[in-house]
Amino acid sequence: MDKIRIRGGARLNGEIPISGAKNAALPLMVAALLTDAPLTLTNVPKLADVAFMADLLRHFGVTAEWTPEAALGQGGRYELCAADLTGTTADYDIVRKMRASFLVFGPLLARAGHAKVSLPGGCAIGARPVDLHLKALEALGAKVELADGYVIAEAPGGLKGANIAFPFVSVGATENALMAATLAEGRTVISNAAREPEIDDLGRCLTAMGARISGLGTSSIVVDGVKSLHAAAHAVLPDRIETGTYAMAVAIAGGAVELTGTRADLVGALIPLLKEAGTDVTATNNGLMVARNGVRPTSVSAATEPFPGFPTDLQAQFMALMATAEGTSHIRETIFENRFMHVPELLRMGANIKVDGDTAIVTGVPRLNGAPVMATDLRASSSLVLAGLAAEGETVVNRVYHLDRGFERLEEKLSRVGADIERLPV
Ligand code: EPZ
């Protein structure tokens, strides 16, 4: 497996193009299952998870043709068409590799009237059950049973609109319910819906396909079911996690970088934290300008929350930044119960972090030290890259496979702005 080597200390200057969002692209690709007409997606990032989702869809008889774009950060195009569904089973071997595979559950049921999808099981960042997804589909009239590790569901007479009230916010369950409801008979009201921009993006694409949806971006989404959806084209929104990660790369390494093709409102909860920590962040016509010169970052505390709060997918990167800041920061993780796997690796780089339940207490050190490190999820891996940018000496991040799942050409984007970073193929 490839490794990434970073020699710390270089400041970053220039421009980083931001790619389309992985967590928008995955459900958008799944939406192709809802219609026999073509769905064209542009600004799709070239990532392992995206290729994996295309393979999963092909498994159901979907044609998925990829056209790459030459320029860095521009994304490619997927032409997807589910003219004939040839299967409705997603095997364990597929779902265990990528939890987002479970998003096919609602669309398969809505389109074909049945679905058999492996239960995903736990993953490195926590137990991550799918009970809310199942309850939502049951509310829409599906008969759901669990057998041999699979969820088997039938809706022979079609799904029926219903009130779905989630007890807490789930991005994936909201997406599953939203997609299924587009073809359900009558009105569905999803209360306590997730408000993540990726849901808004999915809703816009579904609307372009002929779905009748209101309340996008709020916690109450109303869907009036239609008989069928039609062809559409949609551009994937910019990746807010990639935006936040590179903003923090500049905050930790110093320098001035414009993040292009992105938007300030996507990282609204991060900007005040970065400013408080001593980084300048300003919106530009093309995206965001991020700069830090001279002084060491100062400590700021943060807690993860559903959107519009501070995202769990930026928590590890923020901890790397705080590990070098002046003072002590409390970082609380409220979404996943096991999302501090980066802590032992940061400790090996000389960080001073104590974990107390759901809170990491981070006392910044003036300089981290390079070390060989490894992480078991993609955001944690990116935090180790950030730590490596600020560390003295050489950091080698192992298991780059995780980074390739969610960051398009990371080492190329960072080396273009002056980081001393390279991929070491094995
Ligand atoms: C999405 O995962 C993202 N994945 C995650 O990004 C992200 O961390 C997460 O949302 C939170 O923002 C994709 O969009 C593909 P949830 P999802 O359902 O939908 C619990 C990354 O690094 N829960 O909002 O799986 C769950 O265990 C990834 O790109 C239930 O208990 O997240 C968690 O504690 C990692 N029952 C909380 O809810 C359910 O049925 C929020 O999870 C569903 C969720």
Side-chain angles (χ1 to χ4, degrees):
M1 235 180 267
D2 292 0
K3 300 174 180 187
I4 283 186
R5 180 169 62 202
I6 305 143
R7 294 192 183 92
R11 298 168 82 79
L12 309 181
N13 284 291
E15 201 180 295
I16 298 179
I18 298 300
S19 299
K22 167 185 83 90
N23 288 346
L26 297 176
L28 287 166
M29 292 171 77
V30 172
L33 288 170
L34 291 164
T35 172
D36 59 3
L39 174 63
T40 304
L41 298 175
T42 53
N43 199 33
V44 181
K46 187 172 186 294
L47 297 170
D49 274 12
V50 166
F52 189 72
M53 182 59 89
D55 283 343
L56 171 61
L57 295 175
R58 287 188 189 106
H59 196 75
F60 305 128
V62 179
T63 55
E65 279 171 36
W66 168 255
T67 314
E69 292 288 348
L72 188 63
Q74 269 184 7
R77 162 195 296 263
Y78 252 120
E79 305 273 355
L80 303 158
C81 187
D84 294 304
L85 286 186
T86 54
T88 55
T89 300
D91 290 328
Y92 175 65
D93 272 351
I94 297 175
V95 181
R96 79 182 163 84
K97 286 194 200 130
M98 185 176 68
R99 285 184 53 89
S101 309
F102 203 77
L103 293 174
V104 302
F105 183 58
L108 284 177
L109 253 178
R111 170 92 184 276
H114 48 88
K116 181 176 173 187
V117 181
S118 170
L119 280 166
C123 70
I125 61 175
R128 297 182 84 185
V130 288
D131 53 326
L132 300 189
H133 300 240
L134 303 187
K135 286 202 175 98
L137 271 299
E138 278 179 331
L140 293 172
K143 300 271 170 291
V144 178
E145 61 175 81
L146 304 183
D148 308 325
Y150 279 81
V151 183
I152 302 162
E154 300 278 342
L159 297 172
K160 306 271 185 292
N163 289 330
I164 300 169
F166 287 121
F168 54 90
V169 172
S170 161
V171 174
T174 303
E175 290 167 343
N176 238 329
L178 173 61
M179 286 192 276
T182 59
L183 294 180
E185 190 187 323
R187 173 166 285 198
T188 298
V189 180
I190 307 172
S191 314
N192 205 12
R195 288 183 284 161
E196 269 62 7
E198 293 75 24
I199 307 243
D200 184 63
D201 205 43
L202 174 64
R204 284 166 190 257
C205 176
L206 292 168
T207 304
M209 293 165 74
R212 293 173 59 207
I213 303 170
S214 59
L216 285 171
T218 76
S219 53
S220 180
I221 301 177
V222 180
V223 187
D224 286 301
V226 294
K227 286 228 165 356
S228 62
L229 297 177
H230 52 68
H234 179 84
V236 179
L237 98 161
D239 195 314
R240 63 195 168 98
I241 305 305
E242 197 196 21
T243 304
T245 302
Y246 289 128
M248 286 190 271
V250 182
I252 200 167
V257 173
E258 185 174 21
L259 307 176
T260 57
T262 187
R263 303 196 319 251
D265 63 291
L266 296 173
V267 284
L270 175 67
I271 291 175
L273 296 175
L274 285 183
K275 285 185 172 169
E276 219 182 312
T279 304
D280 292 327
V281 188
T282 38
T284 63
N285 288 341
N286 296 328
L288 279 183
M289 188 73 204
V290 186
R292 186 179 65 78
N293 289 305
V295 288
R296 196 175 151 195
T298 38
S299 288
V300 186
S301 292
T304 63
E305 283 167 30
F307 193 86
F310 179 70
T312 172
D313 290 347
L314 289 177
Q315 178 258 108
Q317 301 89 314
F318 189 71
M319 197 178 299
L321 173 62
M322 289 300 111
T324 64
E326 185 138 22
T328 297
S329 152
H330 288 68
I331 301 176
R332 191 164 162 243
E333 171 58 56
T334 72
I335 309 290
F336 292 109
E337 70 272 22
N338 188 26
R339 212 172 192 183
F340 284 146
M341 284 103 52
H342 39 287
V343 171
E345 299 301 295
L346 290 171
L347 291 178
R348 297 181 58 247
M349 296 178 74
N352 177 356
I353 305 170
K354 291 190 177 58
V355 174
D356 181 8
D358 65 0
T359 302
I361 302 147
V362 188
T363 302
V365 295
R367 203 92 176 124
L368 295 169
N369 306 310
V373 288
M374 182 170 82
T376 45
D377 89 281
L378 85 113
R379 309 305 177 187
S381 298
S382 71
S383 81
L384 301 176
V385 171
L386 264 50
L389 294 174
E392 184 135 7
E394 190 175 286
T395 297
V396 176
V397 181
N398 291 284
R399 290 211 196 170
V400 167
Y401 156 78
H402 289 292
L403 284 171
D404 292 338
R405 289 188 65 170
F407 289 92
E408 188 177 41
R409 291 153 84 176
L410 170 126
E411 70 278 12
E412 206 178 321
K413 290 188 181 185
L414 283 171
S415 69
R416 266 172 44 138
V417 292
D420 187 346
I421 180 169
E422 64 181 328
R423 180 178 288 252
L424 307 174
V426 177

